Amino acid sequence: MPILNLNNFLAALGNTPDYGRLFARAEHLAQVQKHLLNAVPFQLRNQCTVGQYTADGLLVIYAGNGTTATRLRHLAPSIRQKMNNAGIKVENIRFSIQPQLHSLESGNVREITRSLSQTAIEHLDKLSDSLPAGSPLQSSLAALLANSRRK
């Protein structure tokens, strides 16, 4: 479906009573999100999002991890003040951790590769040879060493 047709469809759908409220709510949340991003430091902008905003002033912020949530929690008074100054009534802020929040979108998924040094391989090889044949530790060391030699 071309984008022009999609926009026309969404505009028509937004004018229906059932979907009009939904679209209005989504637009309001987008505005709250915009003000939230202006209220947090640049480094945290891609690590948090608005989870919920209620008329009585409750703002729930989803953070990508515990560290981000803790940093945001320390900034809560400043966030509340900036949001209130922007016309978004915020009485209370809660934080919720959403681990996979932005990892797939931002491409921050990275594979960590670790390798053993040659000295470590030699010492583990000696240890493996000194263990009883067929022991669980020897099997584990054999697998570790085989994996290290493939790299």
Side-chain angles (χ1 to χ4, degrees):
M1 177 181 284
I3 192 73
L4 185 57
N5 290 343
L6 180 62
N7 285 339
N8 289 338
F9 174 74
L10 291 175
L13 196 60
N15 290 331
T16 63
D18 291 336
Y19 290 102
R21 289 187 305 274
L22 176 66
F23 280 42
R25 179 81 176 136
E27 188 172 319
H28 183 67
L29 282 176
Q31 287 299 317
V32 174
Q33 174 71 18
K34 181 181 117 182
H35 290 296
L36 173 67
L37 294 181
N38 289 332
V40 300
F42 180 76
Q43 305 88 324
L44 299 177
R45 288 183 182 168
N46 68 343
Q47 300 176 29
C48 64
T49 189
V50 172
Q52 181 183 0
Y53 176 73
T54 62
D56 62 348
L58 171 65
L59 175 65
V60 177
I61 300 175
Y62 291 159
N65 56 53
T67 303
T68 301
T70 300
R71 290 176 70 191
L72 289 169
R73 197 170 284 118
H74 290 294
L75 295 170
S78 171
I79 293 170
R80 183 180 304 114
Q81 180 183 17
K82 288 177 182 178
M83 298 285 284
N84 285 328
N85 289 345
I88 306 294
K89 176 187 160 193
V90 176
E91 296 292 326
N92 190 18
I93 300 177
R94 283 194 334 215
F95 299 92
S96 179
I97 298 172
Q98 301 291 316
Q100 297 285 318
L101 184 63
H102 291 285
S103 64
L104 298 177
E105 293 174 9
S106 63
N108 286 342
V109 178
R110 40 182 186 158
E111 186 177 319
I112 298 173
T113 57
R114 295 185 177 106
S115 58
L116 295 173
S117 68
Q118 188 59 39
T119 305
I121 291 173
E122 290 170 7
H123 287 293
L124 289 173
D125 215 6
K126 286 180 188 176
L127 175 62
S128 178
D129 290 340
S130 69
L131 294 170
S135 71
L137 181 56
Q138 186 190 37
S139 301
S140 297
L141 283 174
L144 174 69
L145 290 167
N147 189 26
S148 295
R149 289 184 176 118
R150 273 186 267 158
K151 293 180 182 178

Short mmCIF file of all heavy atoms in Angstrom, two decimals, residues 121-144:
data_model
loop_
_atom_site.label_atom_id
_atom_site.label_comp_id
_atom_site.label_asym_id
_atom_site.label_seq_id
_atom_site.Cartn_x
_atom_site.Cartn_y
_atom_site.Cartn_z
N ILE A 121 46.11 -21.69 27.69
CA ILE A 121 45.78 -22.95 27.01
C ILE A 121 46.75 -24.04 27.43
O ILE A 121 46.33 -25.17 27.72
CB ILE A 121 45.79 -22.75 25.47
CG1 ILE A 121 44.60 -21.87 25.05
CG2 ILE A 121 45.76 -24.09 24.74
CD1 ILE A 121 44.60 -21.47 23.59
N GLU A 122 48.02 -23.72 27.51
CA GLU A 122 49.03 -24.71 27.91
C GLU A 122 48.79 -25.19 29.35
O GLU A 122 48.85 -26.39 29.63
CB GLU A 122 50.44 -24.11 27.78
CG GLU A 122 50.87 -23.90 26.33
CD GLU A 122 52.15 -23.10 26.21
OE1 GLU A 122 52.80 -22.81 27.24
OE2 GLU A 122 52.49 -22.76 25.06
N HIS A 123 48.50 -24.26 30.27
CA HIS A 123 48.27 -24.64 31.67
C HIS A 123 46.99 -25.47 31.82
O HIS A 123 46.97 -26.46 32.57
CB HIS A 123 48.20 -23.41 32.56
CG HIS A 123 49.52 -22.75 32.80
ND1 HIS A 123 50.54 -23.35 33.52
CD2 HIS A 123 50.01 -21.56 32.40
CE1 HIS A 123 51.58 -22.56 33.56
NE2 HIS A 123 51.28 -21.45 32.87
N LEU A 124 45.95 -25.11 31.10
CA LEU A 124 44.71 -25.89 31.17
C LEU A 124 44.90 -27.26 30.54
O LEU A 124 44.30 -28.25 30.99
CB LEU A 124 43.57 -25.13 30.48
CG LEU A 124 43.07 -23.89 31.23
CD1 LEU A 124 42.06 -23.13 30.38
CD2 LEU A 124 42.47 -24.27 32.58
N ASP A 125 45.73 -27.33 29.51
CA ASP A 125 46.03 -28.62 28.88
C ASP A 125 46.74 -29.55 29.88
O ASP A 125 46.41 -30.73 29.99
CB ASP A 125 46.90 -28.39 27.65
CG ASP A 125 46.61 -29.35 26.53
OD1 ASP A 125 45.65 -30.14 26.67
OD2 ASP A 125 47.32 -29.31 25.52
N LYS A 126 47.70 -28.99 30.62
CA LYS A 126 48.41 -29.78 31.63
C LYS A 126 47.45 -30.24 32.74
O LYS A 126 47.50 -31.38 33.19
CB LYS A 126 49.55 -28.97 32.25
CG LYS A 126 50.74 -28.81 31.35
CD LYS A 126 51.82 -27.99 32.04
CE LYS A 126 52.94 -27.66 31.06
NZ LYS A 126 53.95 -26.79 31.67
N LEU A 127 46.57 -29.33 33.15
CA LEU A 127 45.60 -29.67 34.18
C LEU A 127 44.68 -30.78 33.69
O LEU A 127 44.41 -31.75 34.43
CB LEU A 127 44.77 -28.43 34.58
CG LEU A 127 43.63 -28.67 35.57
CD1 LEU A 127 44.17 -29.17 36.91
CD2 LEU A 127 42.82 -27.40 35.77
N SER A 128 44.22 -30.68 32.47
CA SER A 128 43.34 -31.69 31.89
C SER A 128 44.02 -33.07 31.85
O SER A 128 43.38 -34.08 32.14
CB SER A 128 42.91 -31.27 30.48
OG SER A 128 42.09 -32.25 29.91
N ASP A 129 45.31 -33.07 31.50
CA ASP A 129 46.05 -34.34 31.44
C ASP A 129 46.22 -34.96 32.82
O ASP A 129 46.31 -36.20 32.94
CB ASP A 129 47.43 -34.12 30.80
CG ASP A 129 47.32 -33.82 29.32
OD1 ASP A 129 46.27 -34.13 28.72
OD2 ASP A 129 48.29 -33.25 28.76
N SER A 130 46.24 -34.14 33.86
CA SER A 130 46.45 -34.66 35.22
C SER A 130 45.15 -35.18 35.86
O SER A 130 45.21 -35.82 36.90
CB SER A 130 47.07 -33.58 36.11
OG SER A 130 46.14 -32.56 36.36
N LEU A 131 44.02 -34.91 35.25
CA LEU A 131 42.74 -35.34 35.82
C LEU A 131 42.40 -36.76 35.40
O LEU A 131 42.87 -37.24 34.35
CB LEU A 131 41.63 -34.39 35.35
CG LEU A 131 41.73 -32.96 35.87
CD1 LEU A 131 40.73 -32.07 35.16
CD2 LEU A 131 41.50 -32.91 37.37
N PRO A 132 41.59 -37.45 36.19
CA PRO A 132 41.17 -38.81 35.83
C PRO A 132 40.40 -38.81 34.50
O PRO A 132 39.60 -37.90 34.24
CB PRO A 132 40.25 -39.24 36.97
CG PRO A 132 40.45 -38.26 38.07
CD PRO A 132 41.03 -37.03 37.47
N ALA A 133 40.64 -39.78 33.69
CA ALA A 133 39.99 -39.88 32.38
C ALA A 133 38.48 -40.00 32.55
O ALA A 133 38.00 -40.75 33.40
CB ALA A 133 40.53 -41.08 31.62
N GLY A 134 37.75 -39.23 31.77
CA GLY A 134 36.29 -39.29 31.80
C GLY A 134 35.63 -38.49 32.90
O GLY A 134 34.41 -38.52 33.04
N SER A 135 36.43 -37.78 33.71
CA SER A 135 35.81 -36.98 34.78
C SER A 135 35.08 -35.79 34.16
O SER A 135 35.44 -35.32 33.07
CB SER A 135 36.87 -36.50 35.78
OG SER A 135 37.67 -35.50 35.19
N PRO A 136 34.05 -35.30 34.84
CA PRO A 136 33.29 -34.15 34.29
C PRO A 136 34.17 -32.92 34.06
O PRO A 136 34.02 -32.22 33.06
CB PRO A 136 32.22 -33.87 35.35
CG PRO A 136 32.10 -35.13 36.13
CD PRO A 136 33.43 -35.80 36.06
N LEU A 137 35.11 -32.66 34.96
CA LEU A 137 35.98 -31.51 34.81
C LEU A 137 36.89 -31.67 33.60
O LEU A 137 37.09 -30.74 32.83
CB LEU A 137 36.81 -31.28 36.08
CG LEU A 137 37.75 -30.07 36.06
CD1 LEU A 137 36.99 -28.79 35.76
CD2 LEU A 137 38.49 -29.95 37.39
N GLN A 138 37.40 -32.88 33.40
CA GLN A 138 38.26 -33.11 32.24
C GLN A 138 37.47 -32.94 30.94
O GLN A 138 37.95 -32.35 29.98
CB GLN A 138 38.90 -34.50 32.27
CG GLN A 138 39.90 -34.67 31.14
CD GLN A 138 40.38 -36.10 30.97
OE1 GLN A 138 39.60 -37.02 31.14
NE2 GLN A 138 41.64 -36.24 30.64
N SER A 139 36.24 -33.41 30.92
CA SER A 139 35.39 -33.25 29.73
C SER A 139 35.12 -31.78 29.44
O SER A 139 35.17 -31.32 28.29
CB SER A 139 34.07 -33.98 29.92
OG SER A 139 34.28 -35.34 30.14
N SER A 140 34.86 -31.04 30.50
CA SER A 140 34.60 -29.60 30.34
C SER A 140 35.84 -28.87 29.84
O SER A 140 35.76 -28.01 28.96
CB SER A 140 34.14 -28.98 31.66
OG SER A 140 32.92 -29.54 32.06
N LEU A 141 36.98 -29.20 30.41
CA LEU A 141 38.23 -28.58 29.97
C LEU A 141 38.54 -28.94 28.52
O LEU A 141 39.00 -28.10 27.75
CB LEU A 141 39.39 -28.99 30.88
CG LEU A 141 39.46 -28.30 32.23
CD1 LEU A 141 40.57 -28.89 33.09
CD2 LEU A 141 39.66 -26.80 32.07
N ALA A 142 38.29 -30.19 28.15
CA ALA A 142 38.52 -30.61 26.76
C ALA A 142 37.66 -29.80 25.80
O ALA A 142 38.14 -29.35 24.75
CB ALA A 142 38.26 -32.10 26.61
N ALA A 143 36.41 -29.57 26.16
CA ALA A 143 35.52 -28.77 25.32
C ALA A 143 35.98 -27.32 25.23
O ALA A 143 35.99 -26.70 24.15
CB ALA A 143 34.09 -28.83 25.86
N LEU A 144 36.39 -26.77 26.37
CA LEU A 144 36.90 -25.39 26.40
C LEU A 144 38.15 -25.25 25.53
O LEU A 144 38.26 -24.31 24.74
CB LEU A 144 37.19 -24.98 27.83
CG LEU A 144 37.87 -23.61 28.04
CD1 LEU A 144 36.88 -22.49 27.67
CD2 LEU A 144 38.33 -23.44 29.46
#
